[in-house]
Amino acid sequence: MFSRFEYYVKDDRLFIIGNKDSIQDIKPGTEIITIDQVPVSDYIRRYEKLISSDGFNTTFQPYYLKDVFFNYYVAEKGFEDKATLETVYNGEKKTYQLTRESKSENDLKQDKENKKRTQEKKVNDYIAFNNSYNRNFKFLDQDSTIAYIKVKSFSSDYSARFYKETFKKIKNAQSSYLIIDIRNNYGGSLEEINNLYSYLSPKPYTLIKPSQVISKSSPLKTNYFRKSNPLQYILRTFTYPTFFFAQTFSTYKKDGKFYYKNRSDRESKPKKDAFNGKVYVLINGGSFSASSIITAKLKNDKRVVLVGEETGGANDGTVAGFYSYQTLPNSKIDLPVGVLLVQPNITFTHTKKGVVPDVTITETMQDIIDKKDPQMDWVMKAIKKEETANQK
């Protein structure tokens, strides 16, 4: 019922900002006041406590909550067949009755077609759920002066090929500017961000500091058999010895501390098609985890101009990598506990804050509804101004 809308959270308020199927003609900008007569603000205040963030930064919560609000709602209420929404739009209150609908044969057929993995879908990391691509590349002008890369998540799937092909095109086009958009990117693969950085650095670099763990056995506490069906359990039983030995020898001890071996903490060389022009990176509160690590490194190395708002992820690192799931004794909830301390190879700020942009520009709900992008607009104007100055 709820996943067909797009949402926006501001303070204790929840708004619908996208209704691509025009369900009951609910207008973007409509605020949901109650769900089945329960104030939405009550849910938001309760669910906010379930969202952890890095340090003292608070930009992450509203971005993440807009995506998981109804995950929490369904976890609390269960799957329901109908819901009554009390709303307000431009001062006018309305009530809508939502009902759960089954997909039509055409929808099911289209879903099946979308799941077919073409080469383009693999390289750009196609997401069948919302019929979009995780990675996108294009030139923003006719003479290919400005290149643009959008990455929604660092999934690592076929990412090496994507960046190899993309930066070859950028080099062949002799582009002067590159815009990398990692807004609303919750993070992901260290391997992918290390590979991306190799196309942005003019000299050898080390992306992260050695990743610390509590003990030599920490990598073994990752619940190898978690959520295995009987067949998977049998197969994983045969492969467990390989996993055990790989994880056992993945740690080392130095100065009384244990560290996990990672290729990203070794010196890497720039790729031959590395970009040497001016780089702008768009960030916001939805830039988290790996997005913050690469952003912090780029800022520290003075390689880019950061535009947007403070990242949701911390500037000085995060506890992540992989997780050990601990079952709580009373609720039986699986609590994921990060095992690795992952820190960018930078001079730390010690602020316990996110990565602060060089140019702070916030995006409003009305901007989103009107399909305006003030952060991108600022970058394009800055490029135009620089080009004009260079022509004099």
Side-chain angles (χ1 to χ4, degrees):
M1 285 188 295
F2 303 113
S3 63
R4 294 162 71 185
F5 298 109
E6 295 176 27
Y7 300 96
Y8 183 89
V9 171
K10 178 70 173 178
D11 300 323
D12 292 336
R13 304 166 71 186
L14 178 68
F15 299 85
I16 293 174
I17 60 168
N19 183 7
K20 64 179 181 179
D21 295 327
S22 299
I23 299 169
Q24 299 192 45
D25 198 30
I26 298 176
K27 298 287 190 295
T30 296
E31 181 180 1
I32 303 176
I33 305 299
T34 68
I35 305 174
D36 291 335
Q37 299 183 332
V38 178
V40 166
S41 57
D42 289 355
Y43 291 117
I44 290 179
R45 284 192 286 268
R46 189 155 66 247
Y47 298 159
E48 279 179 332
K49 298 176 182 179
L50 304 176
I51 300 175
S52 59
S53 185
D54 286 344
F56 297 137
N57 45 335
T58 58
T59 54
F60 177 65
Q61 285 89 341
Y63 284 94
Y64 191 60
L65 187 55
K66 73 178 176 58
D67 289 338
V68 300
F69 178 92
F70 284 104
N71 294 51
Y72 289 145
Y73 180 87
V74 171
E76 179 181 358
K77 298 286 188 177
F79 286 99
E80 299 176 327
D81 292 327
K82 61 181 180 179
T84 301
L85 306 184
E86 291 182 337
T87 69
V88 61
Y89 177 76
N90 283 347
E92 181 182 355
K93 291 186 177 181
K94 282 189 178 181
T95 299
Y96 297 95
Q97 184 82 36
L98 297 185
T99 56
R100 186 175 301 282
E101 299 177 14
S102 299
K103 287 191 175 183
S104 66
E105 289 187 10
N106 286 336
D107 288 336
L108 294 173
K109 185 178 179 180
Q110 187 62 49
D111 287 347
K112 187 176 181 180
E113 189 66 27
N114 288 344
K115 289 179 181 179
K116 293 181 179 178
R117 300 278 283 173
T118 63
Q119 197 60 36
E120 180 189 12
K121 286 183 177 181
K122 290 177 181 178
V123 174
N124 293 283
D125 196 10
Y126 179 74
I127 306 169
F129 172 74
N130 56 13
N131 190 28
S132 67
Y133 289 99
N134 184 35
R135 290 184 288 268
N136 290 279
F137 163 72
K138 61 183 177 181
F139 292 109
L140 298 182
D141 53 347
Q142 291 184 346
D143 58 2
S144 303
T145 301
I146 307 170
Y148 173 82
I149 297 173
K150 168 72 175 177
V151 186
K152 296 179 181 179
S153 173
F154 293 115
S155 66
S156 80
D157 292 343
Y158 291 89
S159 62
R161 179 168 178 176
F162 171 82
Y163 293 120
K164 182 178 180 180
E165 293 178 355
T166 295
F167 280 93
K168 185 175 182 179
K169 293 175 184 176
I170 293 173
K171 187 171 185 178
N172 289 340
Q174 299 182 324
S175 302
S176 300
Y177 302 94
L178 171 62
I179 302 170
I180 300 176
D181 189 347
I182 52 173
R183 292 174 294 183
N184 305 303
N185 182 325
Y186 294 151
S189 166
L190 275 176
E191 180 183 1
E192 178 170 345
I193 63 171
N194 191 45
N195 187 36
L196 173 56
Y197 202 92
S198 69
Y199 288 98
L200 302 174
S201 179
K203 58 185 180 181
Y205 67 94
T206 302
L207 182 69
I208 63 171
K209 295 181 182 294
S211 300
Q212 190 176 340
V213 291
I214 294 298
S215 68
K216 186 175 182 62
S217 62
S218 293
L220 293 172
K221 299 177 181 179
T222 53
N223 312 86
Y224 183 73
F225 295 99
R226 182 174 178 266
K227 291 188 175 181
S228 299
N229 60 39
L231 178 59
Q232 290 172 330
Y233 191 93
I234 294 172
L235 293 174
R236 290 178 181 178
T237 299
F238 287 110
T239 57
Y240 183 75
T242 302
F243 166 81
F244 177 85
F245 284 109
Q247 293 295 72
T248 298
F249 293 105
S250 65
T251 60
Y252 63 94
K253 191 174 184 180
K254 184 178 180 180
D255 299 329
K257 297 179 180 179
F258 291 95
Y259 297 91
Y260 185 81
K261 297 176 182 177
N262 194 310
R263 284 184 292 181
S264 298
D265 65 20
R266 307 171 199 165
E267 185 176 88
S268 299
K269 295 181 179 180
K271 292 289 196 299
K272 66 181 181 67
D273 290 333
F275 182 72
N276 296 315
K278 192 161 187 176
V279 182
Y280 293 89
V281 177
L282 301 176
I283 55 175
N284 64 9
S287 305
F288 197 72
S289 191
S291 294
S292 298
I293 291 171
I294 188 171
T295 304
K297 177 64 174 170
L298 287 166
K299 181 174 183 178
N300 179 83
D301 294 353
K302 296 179 173 55
R303 182 67 189 94
V304 303
V305 177
L306 300 179
V307 180
E309 59 186 20
E310 179 186 353
T311 63
N315 185 91
D316 293 354
T318 185
V319 177
F322 44 85
Y323 294 83
S324 174
Y325 286 83
Q326 302 299 315
T327 304
L328 301 182
N330 295 319
S331 66
K332 304 304 178 183
I333 290 174
D334 281 346
L335 179 68
V337 180
V339 174
L340 297 184
L341 175 60
V342 183
Q343 298 174 300
N345 185 32
I346 62 173
T347 301
F348 294 145
T349 62
H350 301 291
T351 59
K352 297 184 180 179
K353 297 281 287 179
V355 185
V356 179
D358 300 300
V359 181
T360 299
I361 299 174
T362 57
E363 182 182 55
T364 67
M365 181 179 72
Q366 197 60 47
D367 288 331
I368 299 172
I369 293 172
D370 294 340
K371 298 187 177 354
K372 294 180 179 179
D373 191 337
Q375 294 152 350
M376 177 67 86
D377 290 345
W378 185 93
V379 173
M380 296 301 289
K381 288 177 182 177
I383 291 174
K384 184 68 175 176
K385 183 177 180 181
E386 185 172 311
E387 287 180 327
T388 302
N390 291 337
Q391 290 171 359
K392 293 181 180 179

